[in-house]
Amino acid sequence: MNMNTVSKITAILMLVTSLALTSCSKEEEMGCWPPLDVPGDSANVIMIFNATTNGQPLELLKNFKDPLGRTMQVELLKFYVSNVFVSFNGASTLLKKAALVILVDPNVTDTTKKHNEIALKIPYGNYDRITFSVGLDVVQNAGDPTKYPSAHPLSINQNTYWDAWGKYKFFMIEGKGDWDGDGTLTNIYGYHTGFDECYRSISFEKMLTLDATNSNETLNVNFEVNDVFFGKDTLDMKLHPSWHGDINTIETAFIISDNFQEGLRLN
Amino acid sequence: MRNILILLSFMFILLSCSKEEKEDLPKDPIILPPYNPTYVDLNDRLPSYLPRMDIPADNKTTIEGIELGRALFYEPLLSGDGTQSCGSCHNQSYGFTDNGKKFSTGIDQVEGNRNSMQIINAGLRTSFFWDGRAATLEDQAFGPVTNPIEMHEKWPRAVAKINDISTYREMGYKAFGVVQLDSVLISKAIAQFERSIISGNSKYDRWKKGEYQMTPQEDYGRKLFNKDRDEIRDSLGNVIQVIPGADCFHCHGDLSDFTDNLFHNNGMDEIFTDPGREKVTGNAYDRGKFKVPTLRNIEHTAPYMHDGRFKTLDEVIDHYSDGLVHSATIDPLMKNVDIGGVRLSLSEKAALKAFLLTLSDPDFLDNPDYSEPPPL
């Protein structure tokens, strides 16, 4: 088998996967909030995303200190989680194509829904790994947001779409800070990562045994907000107070995407 | 005691009346024509690149419903003294706003403190009024009739006046299959008409459909509208290059019909006389936030903002360019507030305005389907 055939096969495989990923099933039309149906008996697993500021639960507009001792607040924090898989010995099962996780958003008034939770149905069995991505894959990112029903996570109504760039925003964080230490939160920051280049996948080792006696599980995925700016790389928020899709300065979006990816913890 | 007696005898009269009426029913029932409304999918009338409207399951749109709603929208009988209709403060030629007025005046000549809002592609909105206090068009339409600074009428009286007119009873039957209209059905009909008020043939729309070529100035304005203002700095933090942009798309994105349907503080005041969204949610962090209006037909909906403070589009553009002020709830997307705004040059301002003018839709402003119908 020469190189050419290999790449052809890869291309076909990729096409098939992406087709499988895009094929809008009934439950996708319903808004994708219900978990994907899986054959046979399955367990209900809830993935909960929790953010902290210096160990305390993140709250809308609550002051906290960054590692430089400056006061800051978060006014909006939401991101896409997509392509959630569980696997055992390398064989994976797709559980969720895309969900929008909202941790802080003053415009979300519907408190009946837990916007930081993703409900999953996992077939009974043993698993050793859970994998998911932050952002949307190439196919989802190329979709037309006006074609989804309004409650769908990819709908234009989620306000996660850059009309100008024709792409989705993957991770959005906005707020205010006091960079000059004068006691007033007059510095504004806002970062919306996006473009296929900011898609990040995370995989955790996780032993799961799901059966009739253990059919409800909760997976907590935690992260510290400060780690988003002060992680593997540090973002100078005073110098670069925002990023909204300018390809020339995409470095800023990379720092946030990488730091967030590294900062996620499963327990 | 006397009062109670009067009340009791009054109730007795009322009860006996209705009884008499029942006995008086004609022996041969009136044969009504079959109730057979024509359903329409308004989404078919929207340009393909816009999101779809969510039509409430209990108020499906019909040709007959729209027709009734249109008549009611322009019906002054719905007001206390029969002088004012919805159309009085929502004039089609002004993009369904109040004739260039800063504030509207109700039938009692009391002036409100909010600028009348456009009704354009309203079926795409997810809340109504500047503070979003109504969740649906049906809820919204229920309000003005009894609002003391608007039409100042009592619903039972308004309903009785409408039902007194046989043409309305006929139209009501065709639209809803009932012989008597009530306040809920009147609101539903008006909401159906409002959803049918669609603008989708502006220069911008024709450009989207490939039928119009924007002038270089309009096109530059479009690019500015859809672009952040960016500063490239050296390692010491000095600005070495400014990439112009007007930052409008964050809140007025074109694919969502030039509004994100949310509430923002766009940096107009340091202290708020109108609490805006806070009045609805009770949350201090919503102080001074207002609903983002669509920019369609913006040329015709002056004056601008919730209090009509800006008379012209130039004033609006100057505000976003140089006039932003700080406050606790200012939106993080107004990120150039420290330097007053997006700092556009004169030619950039002119281009941005030229683009905003491409959102004017003459076919909408004089579409006979939305105008006042001939008298019943």
Side-chain angles (χ1 to χ4, degrees), chain A residues 147 150 159 163 176 186 188 244, chain B residues 54 228 254-255 326 330 332:
Chain A
K147 295 291 174 281
S150 54
N159 289 303
D163 299 16
K176 297 190 180 110
T186 46
I188 288 175
H244 295 291
Chain B
D54 286 332
D228 273 290
D254 54 354
L255 283 187
H326 234 291
I330 190 167

Side-chain angles (χ1 to χ4, degrees), chain A residues 99-133:
Chain A
L100 182 59
V101 175
I102 306 174
L103 294 178
V104 163
D105 184 347
N107 277 300
V108 171
T109 44
D110 170 13
T111 48
T112 56
K113 219 158 50 189
K114 290 266 194 326
H115 299 274
N116 64 331
E117 294 185 355
I118 303 178
L120 305 169
K121 275 203 181 314
I122 309 188
Y124 287 167
N126 293 317
Y127 301 95
D128 55 16
R129 185 161 282 282
I130 179 152
T131 307
F132 63 89
S133 302

Side-chain angles (χ1 to χ4, degrees), chain B residues 334-362:
Chain B
M334 307 293 338
K335 55 192 192 304
N336 296 295
V337 57
D338 283 345
I339 51 168
V342 287
R343 293 286 189 97
L344 302 172
S345 69
L346 283 179
S347 64
E348 285 157 5
K349 286 181 183 177
L352 185 58
K353 183 175 169 188
F355 171 65
L356 292 177
L357 297 183
T358 68
L359 302 176
S360 300
D361 178 357

Side-chain angles (χ1 to χ4, degrees), chain B residues 40-157:
Chain B
V40 275
D41 187 353
L42 289 177
N43 280 316
D44 290 346
R45 301 185 188 175
L46 274 177
S48 63
Y49 41 82
L50 286 183
R52 303 294 91 189
M53 298 183 201
D54 286 332
I55 312 281
D58 64 353
N59 193 21
K60 291 256 158 51
T61 323
T62 63
I63 300 286
E64 294 79 4
I66 295 175
E67 201 182 333
L68 173 63
R70 178 179 167 203
L72 290 166
F73 186 90
Y74 289 104
E75 180 53 79
L77 283 179
L78 286 178
S79 66
D81 64 357
T83 58
Q84 200 170 53
S85 70
C86 311
S88 309
C89 303
H90 298 285
N91 181 338
Q92 181 181 5
S93 352
Y94 291 80
F96 287 93
T97 60
D98 193 357
N99 305 284
K101 287 189 208 154
K102 185 172 156 84
F103 298 126
S104 301
T105 314
I107 62 160
D108 304 329
Q109 307 312 317
V110 183
E111 202 182 56
N113 64 346
R114 297 238 176 109
N115 183 239
S116 172
M117 298 178 83
Q118 60 323 68
I119 302 173
I120 303 172
N121 302 351
L124 290 172
R125 307 287 102 83
T126 51
S127 68
F128 300 91
F129 293 120
W130 284 106
D131 50 17
R133 63 185 182 277
T136 63
L137 277 169
E138 283 76 5
D139 284 356
Q140 194 286 325
F142 204 80
V145 171
T146 51
N147 189 331
I149 58 166
E150 293 186 5
M151 295 152 87
H152 203 182
E153 178 55 300
K154 296 199 165 58
W155 264 118
R157 272 173 43 107

